[in-house]
Amino acid sequence: MGETIGFIGLGNMGQEMALRLVEAGWPVRVWNRTKEKATELVKRGATLVERPEEAVEPGGIAISMLADDAALLEIFAADGPVVKRLGAGGLHVSMSTIHPDTSRRLAKEHAEHGASYLGAPVFGRPNAARAGMLWFAVSGRPEDRLRARPIFEAMGRETFEFGDDPGAANVAKLCGNFLIAAAVEAMAEAAALAEKSGVGAAGMLEMLGKTLFACPVYQGYGQLVVKRKFEPAAFRMRLGLKDVELAISAARAVGVPLPFADIARNRALAGINKGRGDWDWSAVSLGAAEDAGVV
Ligand code: NAP
């Protein structure tokens, strides 16, 4: 593989995604606030750097997989060292789940230094990332989408393009996570009904996951809802709340009511207040079980 990639953010997702690039033969320089998370990657051939700007090459490719908008805006600050070093011909492929307007703002600010920006959020949890089975939603300049294609191919099974607006892919991602939130709440309520009626929730969800709802979200999250094993988290509830709030905010900006998102927000907020913020997002299903008196 050709150019060195600077990978910034090695959380649950970033560690697995960067590993795919290393395994595919890309030279990868990694940076993470908590250095220890780079240990496995370094063993496998990545280079750990001290500061985020040291991860990127002038005119090269930077990938970010940070928790949220605030972290991304801090590290890729308008006149900060990372964007300056990336500079003319540089490309930032931004994979976190963030607000569409954050992508639009970053694209403009990067352009002032001659650098490009792609919104490229992902679908799939860390196990899918490990297996190179992510799905990417991508938007930004066509030539940048083309340049980044081999990266998406190393990490994912399919890429879906959403045009030139760098925020468009983030809208698609937020729609997806809103749908997951609604599905988890619906499954949790149905499971509570089954359980309190003396019917096995696992059997009920297994039947529906093989028939009317034969899709990864109902099958994967359905298992999590009935098993009630929420630690260690693959996707933390705090981040789930962040995503639902982003969907609500993006919807508010265009005047769209999202009543199901309000329910999902309340569930996640209540879960965090009960000390479950670092449990898996699927633990929001405990809310419906608690309301029904089955846990
Ligand atoms: P995570 O495990 O919580 O990791 C978050 C990353 O952001 C870590 O590298 C963390 O550094 C870094 N970070 C947070 N605040 C920072 C700050 N102020 N300055 C510097 N670094 C900071 O999250 P994740 O599950 O990997 O998710 C990453 C992104 O992908 C999120 O936007 C999430 O919504 C999205 N996503 C997650 C999944 C999933 O299943 N987990 C799936 C699709 C999309 P430290 O290691 O130092 O804490």
Side-chain angles (χ1 to χ4, degrees):
M1 289 294 165
E3 50 189 326
T4 298
I5 294 181
F7 201 108
I8 293 177
L10 304 173
N12 285 339
M13 291 295 285
Q15 287 181 52
E16 306 294 3
M17 292 160 72
L19 196 52
R20 291 292 304 183
L21 294 177
V22 171
E23 285 173 347
W26 297 79
V28 181
R29 282 211 288 265
V30 297
W31 178 83
N32 196 54
R33 182 178 59 181
T34 310
K35 281 189 200 169
E36 294 69 36
K37 292 188 187 171
T39 306
E40 182 59 26
L41 275 159
V42 170
K43 270 194 216 153
R44 305 288 287 271
T47 305
L48 176 66
V49 297
E50 288 290 321
R51 288 190 296 275
E53 60 270 28
E54 292 168 9
V56 305
E57 285 280 327
I61 295 184
I63 297 176
S64 57
M65 196 52 174
L66 293 156
D68 54 21
D69 299 57
L72 188 65
L73 287 167
E74 190 184 320
I75 291 168
F76 286 83
D79 290 315
V82 179
V83 176
K84 275 189 181 160
R85 184 165 161 83
L86 201 53
L91 173 62
H92 174 192
V93 188
S94 172
M95 298 185 176
S96 311
T97 306
I98 53 166
H99 198 288
D101 287 345
T102 301
S103 277
R104 293 173 186 132
R105 170 178 162 184
L106 285 169
K108 263 197 198 134
E109 292 173 353
H110 284 32
E112 284 161 19
H113 295 275
S116 297
Y117 176 98
L118 278 181
V122 311
F123 289 101
R125 287 159 61 99
N127 55 349
R130 176 82 284 274
M133 296 291 271
L134 295 173
W135 287 289
F136 284 90
V138 180
S139 62
R141 297 192 319 163
E143 58 271 40
D144 297 328
R145 284 185 256 146
L146 193 63
R147 182 176 174 191
R149 193 174 288 166
I151 291 172
F152 300 136
E153 284 168 1
M155 287 194 259
R157 64 175 112 171
E158 202 166 351
T159 299
F160 297 85
E161 302 209 351
F162 287 89
D164 296 359
D165 167 11
N170 300 112
V171 175
K173 171 64 188 171
L174 295 180
C175 289
N177 276 23
F178 160 68
L179 285 170
I180 296 172
V184 171
E185 174 65 21
M187 281 189 284
E189 292 181 21
L193 168 61
E195 206 171 333
K196 204 160 185 186
S197 310
V199 174
M204 179 274 294
L205 283 177
E206 189 191 351
M207 174 189 75
L208 291 167
K210 282 183 175 163
T211 55
L212 297 180
F213 297 92
C215 74
V217 166
Y218 276 84
Q219 290 162 348
Y221 278 96
Q223 291 270 323
L224 294 168
V225 165
V226 292
K227 283 191 179 153
R228 295 194 183 131
K229 184 183 174 302
F230 302 116
E231 291 176 290
F235 179 53
R236 294 181 300 118
M237 193 185 293
R238 283 181 212 292
L239 295 180
L241 173 64
K242 179 252 311 172
D243 290 0
V244 171
E245 288 186 331
L246 287 171
I248 291 170
S249 167
R252 189 181 299 127
V254 290
V256 172
L258 282 189
F260 280 9
D262 291 334
I263 293 171
R265 177 179 179 273
N266 289 337
R267 286 290 191 214
L269 204 51
I272 290 167
N273 289 337
K274 291 173 188 168
R276 300 169 185 161
D278 290 321
W279 293 14
D280 195 80
W281 184 26
S282 53
V284 291
S285 58
L286 287 174
E290 285 162 352
D291 287 355
V294 294
V295 287

